[in-house]
Amino acid sequence: MALWNRKKKEGPGRVAQIKAAYQVAQRSDPRIGWILAAWFVGVLVPFVLVGILLDHTFYLSFLGVSVAVLVVTFIFGRRAERAAYASIEGQPGAAAAALNTLRKGYTVTPAVAVTRNQDVVHRVVGKCGVVLIGEGAPSRVAHLLAGERKRTQRVVGDAPVNEVVAGNGPGEVPLAKLNAYVMKLPKTLNGSQITELEHRLKALTAVQGTIPLPKGPLPKGARMPKMPR
């Protein structure tokens, strides 16, 4: 009974997440409802026609509905994700909000270095070592990254320290590709090394600036809503 009540309480949360994701996607692409409907019909119709020809209408129609739902779910997920990133792009702290959707195994510390101009450096720790992510004006954030790298290397020893600037300029990594970039970095540390690294970095807590993370589909600590299977 308790399990049923718990599932019942969790249900509206998932539905609310999907609804919020749809609303965000709809603001970015008002035709998304028609697009999803067209994909659903386009996938289903061939299954129904083949079912009629083979005299297995019910079976192939049921299969077609299942496949159509999967296709629509995938397309909706991709479009909702793009819309979510687009809604926070350019806001101070957008990179930190995106990084908080990294999978388990990465520790994200936002705003380890901040300037009055809201140039900011975030830190990620994982099997790849330390990753410093800068966002802001390229000329200013380069100096900020260099300073934070020096401070970081003093305490991390031989652990690798990577730098990247989030943005759409030359040599920068777009917000939507930031997580993939971090996860593709060479993995050189094991669990105990990561733990030791995190302990060392606690002493590097910078004087945090008051830089608000963007509100919306990717708030601090939140994840993109999972689509129903």
Side-chain angles (χ1 to χ4, degrees), residues 2 6 32 49 61 66 68 81 90-91 115 130 134 156 165 194 219 227:
R6 185 174 64 187
I32 187 171
L49 293 178
S61 296
S66 301
E81 185 179 21
Q91 299 183 41
T115 68
V130 180
V156 300
V165 177
I194 294 173
M227 298 299 105

Side-chain angles (χ1 to χ4, degrees), residues 20-33:
Y22 180 82
Q23 290 172 343
V24 171
Q26 191 176 41
R27 285 196 293 270
S28 176
D29 185 0
R31 299 177 302 170
I32 187 171

Side-chain angles (χ1 to χ4, degrees), residues 125-127 189-200:
V125 178
K127 290 183 178 181
L189 303 182
N190 57 35
S192 60
Q193 290 173 318
I194 294 173
T195 302
E196 181 182 355
L197 193 60
E198 289 175 343
H199 286 313
R200 290 183 181 184

